[in-house]
Amino acid sequence: MTPDINPFVLFFASIFTSNILLANFLGMCSFISISKDIKSSNGLGLAVTVVLTLTSVINWAILNYLLIPMELLYLRYIVFIIVIAATVQILEMVIDRVSPALYMSLGIFLPLITVNCAILGVALFVEIRHYDLLQTLFYGLGSGLGWWLAIMALAAIQKKLQKSPVPAGLEGPGITLITIGFMAMAFVGFSGMLIVQ
């Protein structure tokens, strides 16, 4: 049964209070690795947003119009991953044509969007929460924008930290993980304002 959640509430909740990255800690590897550079973070955030939005809607349509009516639900993981991989491959070719510099700066992390667990996680959340098409669209778009917002915020903070005195024992991954923890608390701190599943 489809939950009675306004798609706009779902959209804002998926950006801020239920951020797929900072509330569920999905998609952390590329988030931490690419966030050292603002330009690359911006490009990867845009790419993840596009892939998340497209694949969540496509996977919803395949699930509801093909897999469930044909009683092939056991194939959903394989189908979801194939859809995600195909979408990323097309996006990779487009970025290579449009912006070769961005393509080179993203390096291996662009094709690795395929195995970004945030994207598969959104597809599975949509299924288990029984969202309708409009809710899926807003949830996928909001989750992508939330991921983009989080990586841009971390990239900006890391740029500031490069000019700040950090204790020797906390340099590198230590201060990055502490920063992510504070960001997660800040995002989740408003969770009482918007309640979703």
Side-chain angles (χ1 to χ4, degrees), residues 29-30 44 88 92 107-117 119:
C29 49
S30 54
L44 189 64
V88 170
E92 190 178 349
I108 190 66
F109 290 101
L110 187 56
L112 282 180
I113 292 175
T114 303
V115 292
N116 187 328
C117 47
I119 296 170

Side-chain angles (χ1 to χ4, degrees), residues 49-72:
T49 302
V50 170
V51 171
L52 253 173
T53 306
L54 291 176
T55 58
S56 59
V57 172
I58 294 169
N59 283 331
W60 181 91
I62 291 174
L63 180 73
N64 286 284
Y65 292 118
L66 189 66
L67 297 181
I68 292 177
M70 297 179 72
E71 298 181 1
L72 297 172

Side-chain angles (χ1 to χ4, degrees), residues 9 13 17 188-196:
V9 171
T17 59
V188 177
F190 295 102
S191 59
M193 297 174 68
L194 297 170
I195 298 173
V196 293

Side-chain angles (χ1 to χ4, degrees), residues 16 25 28 37 45 50 86-87 97 139 171:
F16 298 108
F25 295 101
M28 292 295 287
D37 177 49
V50 170
T87 306
R97 288 275 185 181
Y139 181 65
E171 289 180 355

Side-chain angles (χ1 to χ4, degrees), residues 108-162:
I108 190 66
F109 290 101
L110 187 56
L112 282 180
I113 292 175
T114 303
V115 292
N116 187 328
C117 47
I119 296 170
L120 182 60
V122 166
L124 295 176
F125 282 147
V126 164
E127 181 201 350
I128 62 175
R129 294 173 180 172
H130 304 288
Y131 289 154
D132 63 20
L133 179 59
L134 195 58
Q135 289 172 331
T136 300
L137 173 64
F138 279 81
Y139 181 65
L141 178 62
S143 296
L145 291 174
W147 200 94
W148 192 358
L149 175 66
I151 195 170
M152 288 299 294
L154 182 61
I157 292 170
Q158 287 200 359
K159 190 169 180 71
K160 285 283 187 189
L161 284 175
Q162 289 172 356

Side-chain angles (χ1 to χ4, degrees), residues 74-87:
Y74 60 91
L75 292 175
R76 65 186 181 277
Y77 299 119
I78 296 171
V79 172
F80 288 170
I81 291 171
I82 290 172
V83 168
I84 292 167
T87 306

